[in-house]
Amino acid sequence: MSNSLANIKLFCRECRGEYFLGDLHYRCPRCGGALSIKDLEKKDSLQVVEGRGIFRYSRHLTPDVPYTTLGEGRTPLHLIEESGRKLYFKLEYLNPSGSFKDRGAALTIAVAKGLGIKEINEDSSGNAGTAMALYARAFGIKPNIFMPVNAPENKKLLVKLFGGNLILGRDRGEANRLAIEDADKRSVYYVGHVWNPFFIQALKTVAYEVYEEGIQPDEVFVPVGSGGLYLGMYHGFKELYNMGLIGNIPRMHVVEAAGYERVYPAVHGDERYPEETSDLADGLRVPGPPRLNEVLEALGESRGNTYVVNDAEIIKALKKLYKMGLFIEPTSATVYAAYNQVRDEIEKDRIVLMPLTGSGFKALDKVMKVLLKGD
Ligand SMILES: [Zn+2]
């Protein structure tokens, strides 16, 4: 086990409790709050090192981890000009297992490997489980992946193909409970990406890459389930701003799926909006995301808005994106659906950034049902 890694300090934002990474707590043992990484040494410039994948930015992620990369990151930034506006799509679905979660899995598995871990438990609605299975197996760690029985078939299949031990729960909540109970019982390292601060840390690299391409977005639309991608990108842009490399933190907009909205009611009062449940945005089904308060803080600081999109809007957006040649899963169309809700209110010189999170291969059955119905 790497001592410097085991000695990294984690802290709880709720009760300020502090712990060592080597203690292997997935959340605060005192109050149950989510743990964050105590500030690494502040940098005054973006430092890149010889290293593949996200480990190019390892100085901003976590020191002293083994480079467990499969070539994640460095995804294309694809420009579409539409109604006089510049829309940049970050093609995260081109990552090794077909989603942005590969960035998080790469760092999470690097940390596990550095700590000498042999077996991990993860629970996921799909993409994170797939990514974690791929990376864990490739770097000699046994992955146990807990998923809801109604997760897309292709995602379950991929977990198995990548060598994951797949365990199904009745729903997302039960998958989560089983993963934690089993980890407790057998002393397996629970890496749950919804809780894991390294998973979020790795997602800062999306912002770094956009900066390195010379693009400074004004409006960023991010799909929010647990809020990992949202928080990661927010922290990435905030760091770039603190380094004086960008003039402002972009407005970070939260996009949620109907029936799974948590941020929207927290901002706008308790009313549910709208009164339906999305079937298509399966990637955003996260009951009780533990970092809701962090998301709300980032939303306030970046002056972002919150959007909820329903299946009819997702289908419309998906069809348009396919016409543009963007082969994504339905969940990933939520950002463009949200953009379409407000497009006319966004000034024409604003630069819009939307990560497209997951590959169409992940949910080909759903995509086909939607797209082959005709226009
Ligand atoms: Zn606490």
Side-chain angles (χ1 to χ4, degrees):
M1 182 192 293
S2 150
N3 272 338
S4 56
L5 197 54
N7 288 335
I8 286 180
K9 279 218 176 127
L10 304 180
F11 73 99
C12 170
R13 299 164 59 94
E14 307 298 327
C15 74
R16 311 313 288 183
E18 285 194 12
Y19 310 94
F20 289 110
L21 172 60
D23 298 337
L24 303 184
H25 298 305
Y26 81 88
R27 65 175 177 176
C28 176
R30 200 189 305 165
C31 78
L35 297 175
S36 301
I37 302 164
K38 218 159 174 226
D39 278 345
L40 300 170
E41 188 198 336
K42 291 260 187 303
K43 307 281 189 303
D44 52 16
S45 63
L46 188 64
Q47 296 173 11
V48 294
V49 296
E50 285 296 313
R52 290 173 298 127
I54 59 160
F55 296 96
R56 169 178 168 74
Y57 304 106
S58 59
R59 288 194 181 149
H60 300 268
L61 303 178
T62 304
D64 304 320
V65 282
Y67 287 2
T68 48
T69 179
L70 296 175
E72 66 291 327
R74 291 260 166 98
T75 53
L77 198 53
H78 182 62
L79 171 65
I80 300 271
E81 297 206 42
E82 190 192 83
S83 313
R85 291 182 190 81
K86 282 194 162 86
L87 309 183
Y88 285 95
F89 292 104
K90 182 85 167 135
L91 308 189
E92 286 296 289
Y93 62 91
L94 296 178
N95 274 299
S97 84
S99 92
F100 75 97
K101 308 267 183 175
D102 290 329
R103 296 175 190 264
L107 187 59
T108 301
I109 295 304
V111 167
K113 184 121 184 113
L115 291 170
I117 301 288
K118 301 278 184 270
E119 183 174 355
I120 56 155
N121 279 11
E122 156 76 328
D123 57 289
S124 155
S125 63
N127 283 331
T130 313
M132 217 65 100
L134 186 75
Y135 278 79
R137 191 59 186 276
F139 295 98
I141 293 174
K142 182 185 175 199
N144 304 308
I145 310 296
F146 295 73
M147 287 166 84
V149 71
N150 64 356
E153 287 306 314
N154 285 5
K155 293 182 184 177
K156 289 188 271 190
L157 200 59
L158 285 172
V159 166
K160 286 193 202 162
L161 287 173
F162 294 159
N165 174 29
L166 177 67
I167 302 107
L168 297 176
R170 222 177 19 250
D171 51 28
R172 182 70 182 81
E174 193 186 71
N176 171 253
R177 268 195 311 282
L178 292 175
I180 293 169
E181 278 169 17
D182 178 69
D184 273 352
K185 200 164 69 191
R186 299 190 302 115
S187 300
V188 170
Y189 184 39
Y190 174 65
V191 293
H193 69 283
V194 168
W195 293 92
N196 196 312
F198 295 97
F199 200 93
I200 295 172
Q201 181 84 336
L203 296 170
K204 296 191 302 189
T205 57
V206 177
Y208 300 158
E209 290 175 11
V210 170
Y211 164 74
E212 282 206 287
E213 291 230 26
I215 304 303
Q216 296 198 18
D218 301 298
E219 316 274 344
V220 184
F221 291 81
V222 188
V224 171
S226 65
L229 180 59
Y230 182 87
L231 288 170
M233 289 180 71
Y234 166 73
H235 287 302
F237 283 121
K238 190 174 171 179
E239 281 178 17
L240 293 166
Y241 175 74
N242 287 340
M243 291 171 201
L245 297 176
I246 57 175
N248 56 284
I249 299 172
R251 298 184 68 199
M252 300 286 300
H253 304 302
V254 165
V255 180
E256 295 176 292
Y260 299 98
E261 64 273 23
R262 299 289 181 273
V263 183
Y264 185 93
V267 172
H268 298 277
D270 276 337
E271 83 269 32
R272 269 178 64 97
Y273 158 86
E275 289 280 341
E276 59 183 290
T277 297
S278 169
D279 172 51
L280 288 174
D282 55 80
L284 303 184
R285 282 181 202 150
V286 181
R291 295 184 191 272
L292 182 61
N293 286 341
E294 283 178 61
V295 171
L296 289 169
E297 245 175 68
L299 183 73
E301 260 187 64
S302 74
R303 298 171 300 111
N305 288 329
T306 75
Y307 300 96
V308 178
V309 298
N310 62 26
D311 277 356
E313 292 170 300
I314 293 172
I315 290 171
K316 218 169 144 192
L318 192 66
K319 284 182 176 170
K320 280 184 164 178
L321 290 165
Y322 269 66
K323 273 189 190 154
M324 297 175 196
L326 301 168
F327 179 47
I328 55 168
E329 65 174 313
T331 300
S332 308
T334 53
V335 287
Y336 187 56
Y339 165 77
N340 280 311
Q341 285 184 4
V342 284
R343 184 182 48 193
D344 296 337
E345 292 158 37
I346 296 176
E347 284 169 37
K348 295 219 164 169
D349 60 344
R350 306 282 285 174
I351 291 175
V352 179
L353 171 67
M354 289 178 258
L356 295 179
T357 49
S359 165
F361 284 124
K362 295 296 190 77
L364 204 49
D365 46 348
K366 278 188 178 177
V367 168
M368 281 166 63
K369 260 189 221 155
V370 168
L371 295 187
L372 297 183
K373 264 190 195 162
D375 284 351

